[in-house]
Amino acid sequence: MVQVKNICCIGAGYVGGPTCAVIAYKCPHIKVNIVDVNPDRIAAWNSDKLPIYEPGLEEVVFDRRGKNLFFTTEVEAAVNEADLIFVSVNTPTKKNGMGAGFAADLAYVESATRGIASIAKSSKIVVEKSTVPCRTAESMRTILEANSTGDIRFDILSNPEFLAEGTAIKDLLNPDRVLIGALQTPEDRKAQEALVEVYANWVSTDRIITTNLWSSELSKLAANALLAQRISSINALSAICEATGAYVDEVAYACGCDKRIGPSFLKASVGFGGSCFQKDILNLVYLSEQLNLPEVAAYWKQVVDMNEYQKKRFVERIIKTLFHTITNKRIALFGFAFKKDTGDTRESAAITLCKHFIQEQATVHIYDPKVSDEQIFLELTEPGLLDNTEEVKKRVIITRSPYDASQDADAIVIATDWDEFKKLDYTRIYQTMHKPAFIFDGRLILDADKLQQIGFSVHTIGRPA
Ligand code: NAD
Ligand code: UGA
């Protein structure tokens, strides 16, 4: 069996960075080089302010950096040194061409694969860490084999990542499972065993699942689709709750107590965000269509459609409640990240909310504890979001505290479930707002009764007004 002593990770993003930092942390005998084509990102990984915020990440990185963990743009040297290479590059939804809006853009995976083929001077285990459509490993193998010279051998494994942002380090240190897929040849099984050994340094072997390559690739898309489906299901029920007088949190609790259903991922919200759920489901929809399974494609597509409906429904509720107009009204938006404990804003529901508020000519005062001003403006001026980006500068103000954001506001909208929003001095906030003072809780995190006693008009997702 190959004993892995040197790992290279291509892609120093939300996955590559934390995942391989934890490997370095738990395997001091393995040297880990994390490479990226983006020199600014690498510089940030080598600085005191890491490029991503994750609880516990600094401790892990600062403990191993410069010892057995290195961040570098020297791709060639890192690839050559490595026995095992993780490909952890981005796989966004395609914007143009065939499959645009659905299929995964595999250009970065292909470029990383071609890079490995052209650089490698010895045999390597190449591991798909990125989330990819089923059978991508086949294309990777073909490219590697067609471009390799001499008797260099490439074994391809699939090792999808299941970490969630905000809990990445916790998830990596104590994963529910590690999944490693391989072709079923003796050589590929040896490579699979080598990666099992790496994880076995801290994960008990009953949690390391080995499967065939295609099951592993599909399990990643399936897991995200099933998780997102639960959110869309509870969000669909939240609409029924608002119309009937049922409380969605009580319904979720009652259902979740059934062991067969379970309590996780039944929190109604303004809609799921993040870089992966929508992308991976659309990817599954595209795959189903390619396999000539239109009914299957339509089934999964509905999960994304329901998510869009939830965001639209929430905006409509806000406008309707604010006397059918928000023109020139001031809205305090609490939270811009797609969930708490991260500074990531990709596909955040807050972006859609802002878009509608700006189109309705409200002013939006945003507060988020971890998202930078530049990042907010970058998202809101993304081509295709709003026709007139000048409006963004005119109508969006970023504030340093929730108290500043809500000063003279007509309404507070909770977009992200940051814990600090639960502990604010809402009596103080109420005093500084226009009356009637409205709160729209898109995350079901506030104590509605208490707020009502203060004087607020409270509107919670999944509860009647
Ligand atoms: P990311 O955009 O944060 O990071 C990807 C990095 O790869 C970027 O820094 C980019 O510069 C780099 N890169 C692209 N092509 C390269 C190349 N040829 N050589 C070197 N570097 C290159 O993306 P991410 O969020 O880390 O996601 C990576 C993959 O992991 C995606 O497929 C995603 O679906 C999957 N995933 C993400 C999460 C998550 O929570 N973000 C969780 C599980 C799986
Ligand atoms: C998700 C999965 O949970 C990870 O297992 C997976 O590895 C990852 O996608 C990925 O492939 O990228 P992530 O998107 O980081 O992780 O965060 P989640 O905790 O899943 O939250 C996603 C969105 O759903 C957030 O906007 C969150 O607020 C929302 N959500 C989550 C709800 O609205 N209700 C819930 O009950 C749970």
Side-chain angles (χ1 to χ4, degrees), residues 136-361:
T136 300
E138 199 162 30
S139 320
M140 289 173 76
R141 177 186 281 272
T142 308
I143 291 169
L144 287 167
E145 284 176 356
N147 289 283
S148 64
T149 47
D151 52 4
I152 297 179
R153 184 187 160 82
F154 294 104
D155 292 299
I156 317 271
L157 301 176
S158 157
N159 172 220
E161 185 47 60
F162 295 101
L163 68 81
E165 289 178 30
T167 53
I169 299 300
K170 221 170 91 207
D171 297 341
L172 289 165
L173 290 174
N174 188 21
D176 286 349
R177 80 308 209 178
V178 168
L179 178 58
I180 305 173
L183 291 175
Q184 301 300 298
T185 68
E187 292 82 3
D188 286 286
R189 280 177 182 265
K190 270 191 220 156
Q192 190 175 34
E193 203 39 47
L195 185 54
V196 168
E197 285 303 311
V198 172
Y199 283 106
N201 282 291
W202 77 99
V203 180
S204 72
T205 44
D206 58 337
R207 292 199 176 190
I208 304 177
I209 307 170
T210 53
T211 64
N212 94 24
L213 204 44
W214 321 124
S215 306
S216 174
E217 287 181 334
L218 186 58
S219 298
K220 173 62 199 177
L221 294 183
N224 273 359
L226 289 166
L227 289 169
Q229 182 206 43
R230 280 175 73 96
I231 304 171
S232 278
S233 297
I234 201 70
N235 283 343
L237 288 165
S238 77
I240 299 181
C241 289
E242 287 168 35
T244 56
Y247 287 2
V248 75
D249 42 330
E250 294 183 349
V251 173
Y253 180 74
C255 294
C257 283
D258 184 328
K259 283 195 192 68
R260 295 168 302 173
I261 297 172
S264 308
F265 269 71
L266 286 182
K267 184 104 197 249
S269 67
V270 56
F272 59 75
S275 61
C276 292
F277 277 173
Q278 178 172 307
K279 155 176 94 66
D280 293 348
I281 293 173
L282 293 176
N283 195 335
L284 197 59
V285 169
Y286 186 68
L287 181 71
S288 308
E289 274 166 1
Q290 293 296 299
L291 296 170
N292 202 18
L293 300 168
E295 289 81 2
V296 179
Y299 174 79
W300 288 113
K301 175 73 168 38
Q302 189 58 29
V303 173
V304 173
D305 292 347
M306 182 53 63
N307 198 48
E308 289 306 308
Y309 170 70
Q310 185 75 346
K311 291 186 259 184
K312 187 168 146 260
R313 211 170 63 75
F314 190 58
V315 170
E316 281 170 1
R317 186 173 176 188
I318 293 170
I319 296 172
K320 201 168 141 208
T321 309
L322 291 176
F323 316 108
H324 299 278
T325 175
I326 56 171
T327 301
N328 292 329
K329 287 186 180 159
R330 184 179 287 192
I331 296 187
L333 188 72
F334 283 10
F336 198 84
F338 81 96
K339 62 185 278 197
K340 71 173 179 180
D341 292 337
T342 177
D344 195 350
T345 57
R346 292 177 288 180
E347 303 294 337
S348 177
I351 301 169
T352 312
L353 298 184
C354 281
K355 171 186 161 166
H356 287 289
F357 296 156
I358 293 166
Q359 281 174 334
E360 294 290 331
Q361 306 201 318

Side-chain angles (χ1 to χ4, degrees), residues 10-16 35-38 41 88-91 108 111-112 129-131 161 163 165 220 275-276 279 346:
I10 302 183
Y14 284 88
V15 168
V35 302
D36 204 290
V37 282
N38 180 343
R41 212 161 201 188
S88 188
V89 299
N90 35 331
T91 50
Y108 304 96
S111 145
K129 181 55 99 178
S130 299
T131 304
E161 185 47 60
L163 68 81
E165 289 178 30
K220 173 62 199 177
S275 61
C276 292
K279 155 176 94 66
R346 292 177 288 180

